Amino acid sequence: MNARLPIIEICRTLDETKALAVRIANLVRPGDVITLKGTLGAGKSEFARAFIKHLAGTHTVVPSPTFTILEQYETPSFMVSHFDLYRLESPEELAEIGFEEALQSGVTLIEWPERLGTYSLPHLLEIVIEVDAKTEIRKVELKPSDTWLVRLGT
């Protein structure tokens, strides 16, 4: 991670949050990792759903991987692995669910990355979503690694 300031996006509606997901989906490359942080109901799963549907096709069914921990999707160019680590009890469980293989085979989306511990992630774009409960306005903070800086236009 670099020392640059994060990029802040204000999304006034959930549709604007989904549009941001599509913009980021247009920039991904195999090997990229995107983490999604935020409280329950912040819009992490909706962001992931819009991102995946844009890459895999709008017909794609994208359930939340809260119970399965991992859902994978074929796109025309690469595999998208969507992890929800909310139920992960320890970082050691990552080996059992094919985490390392997913990092090697395409693009990886991770909800609840706090559960990773000190695991190092390559080509990382951290996304933090904060939602105002009264207005539904979301502040989306993008924290790009060096490999993302040029793509994001910073």
Side-chain angles (χ1 to χ4, degrees):
M1 192 58 54
N2 60 56
R4 296 177 192 242
L5 294 176
I7 300 163
I8 305 294
E9 297 271 341
I10 301 299
C11 299
R12 300 196 181 290
T13 65
L14 190 53
D15 284 341
E16 287 183 12
T17 305
K18 292 176 184 179
L20 176 60
V22 168
R23 288 196 336 252
I24 291 172
N26 285 328
L27 301 174
V28 294
R29 300 176 185 157
D32 285 342
V33 177
I34 298 171
T35 60
L36 298 166
K37 293 181 181 179
T39 59
L40 285 171
K44 298 179 303 294
S45 292
E46 288 298 325
F47 183 101
R49 190 169 287 115
F51 179 95
I52 293 164
K53 283 181 174 260
H54 181 71
L55 293 170
T58 56
H59 64 281
T60 305
V61 177
V62 183
S64 173
T66 300
F67 294 102
T68 58
I69 300 178
L70 168 63
E71 294 287 337
Q72 292 185 303
Y73 305 89
E74 277 295 333
T75 76
S77 303
F78 46 77
M79 177 78 71
V80 175
S81 297
H82 180 198
F83 288 89
D84 184 326
L85 303 181
Y86 185 74
R87 295 178 2 149
L88 197 72
E89 293 185 22
S90 74
E92 289 74 33
E93 291 179 61
L94 292 170
E96 299 169 20
I97 59 175
F99 188 75
E100 198 61 46
E101 293 84 0
L103 292 175
Q104 307 292 321
S105 66
V107 172
T108 306
L109 280 175
I110 305 168
E111 293 185 56
W112 299 99
E114 304 86 339
R115 305 260 201 261
L116 288 170
T118 59
Y119 202 93
S120 178
L121 298 170
H123 311 291
L124 177 62
L125 174 61
E126 290 182 80
I127 299 176
V128 180
I129 304 173
E130 296 176 17
V131 63
D132 182 298
K134 292 180 184 173
T135 65
E136 296 282 319
I137 293 174
R138 287 168 175 79
K139 179 178 116 177
V140 182
E141 198 173 320
L142 306 175
K143 299 177 182 179
S145 65
D146 291 340
T147 59
W148 276 94
L149 288 175
V150 172
R151 286 185 265 169
L152 289 171
T154 59

